[in-house]
Amino acid sequence: MQHHNTIRLAASATAVIAAALSLTACGSGGGDATAKASSPTPAAGTPSATAAVTASPTATPPSTSGSSGGRSTAPSAAVSPASDTSAGSASRCPVSAVRATALQGPDNRVGTGTGTALIEFTNVSGRACVLQGHPSVAGAGNGSPEHNRPLKVTPTGLASPVRLAPGGTAWVKLTFVQVEGEGDGYCVSGAKPAVYPTLVVGLSGSGAHQVALSDGEFAECDNTVTATAVSAAKPA
């Protein structure tokens, strides 16, 4: 009886040891699989993940007043678009951007003809543009530009570009050889006076413009005129 009990105990012990060994082996193999499966990217609460999410919106904007490491730190978006409308970058005023008006000059002396006239140019477009140079001048016979008579222009003054903002004005002063006397008058040179209802005044790159005086016609002698360059200041 004791022998049988001993055999049973031995068998039971053997079964327990075998079961233990089996559990140990399974635990060792399962541990590798678990280790491989438990390597996800860091959770959002970890420091590395938090830094990745917040770096862009909280980053300090680059300084616009200096450079770092030899490279400018000013962002390209900070460049002012106003640089496109500087005096050096504005283009010539096209003919459609200019309205020309003629006025009696401020220093006309008493006589039957036109001593001086001012031509005012106004930028009627929506963008800045440039006028420059001395004008060409022609008398328009019967008020028709197709029947004009070019006048000999003597330029005076330095021709510099004048930048006109929208609505801005520039000026040219025309000085004629004035008709003398009364009635139809006469020319000191002996030439016959010429009378034009309108003038055609042109500027290089900005077209030709027909102008008329609101208080008379253009009467002059010798078909010559002295012309200032375009100026931002109204001539005296």
Side-chain angles (χ1 to χ4, degrees):
M1 191 67 163
Q2 185 177 1
H3 177 71
H4 289 293
N5 289 337
T6 300
I7 293 174
R8 290 193 187 97
L9 289 174
S12 297
T14 301
V16 170
I17 292 170
L21 290 174
S22 175
L23 289 174
T24 300
C26 291
S28 176
D32 290 342
T34 303
K36 293 177 181 179
S38 61
S39 300
T41 56
T46 64
S48 60
T50 302
V53 171
T54 61
S56 177
T58 60
T60 302
S63 170
T64 60
S65 61
S67 60
S68 176
R71 295 178 300 172
S72 173
T73 58
S76 57
V79 177
S80 172
S83 60
D84 293 337
T85 57
S86 65
S89 62
S91 59
R92 287 291 181 97
C93 298
V95 62
S96 60
V98 179
R99 183 183 67 227
T101 306
L103 305 170
Q104 291 281 0
D107 55 353
N108 281 344
R109 61 184 176 84
V110 177
T112 60
T114 308
T116 61
L118 300 182
I119 310 300
E120 179 188 57
F121 300 98
T122 303
N123 179 3
V124 295
S125 73
R127 63 178 59 189
C129 60
V130 170
L131 292 179
Q132 183 175 1
H134 294 87
S136 62
V137 183
N142 298 322
S144 173
E146 291 77 17
H147 299 90
N148 64 61
R149 185 174 186 179
L151 305 185
K152 181 181 178 180
V153 176
T154 300
T156 180
L158 180 65
S160 300
V162 177
R163 179 181 177 274
L164 296 183
T169 57
W171 302 82
V172 161
K173 182 178 180 179
L174 305 178
T175 302
F176 301 91
V177 177
Q178 190 166 5
V179 177
E180 305 289 344
E182 298 178 358
D184 291 336
Y186 67 95
C187 296
V188 173
S189 66
K192 183 179 179 180
V195 179
Y196 303 104
T198 64
L199 294 180
V200 177
V201 181
L203 285 174
S204 177
S206 299
H209 306 271
Q210 186 175 13
V211 295
L213 293 169
S214 61
D215 54 354
E217 297 180 310
F218 298 96
E220 54 83 30
C221 287
D222 304 336
N223 292 322
T224 63
V225 59
T226 300
T228 66
V230 175
S231 171
K234 186 176 181 178

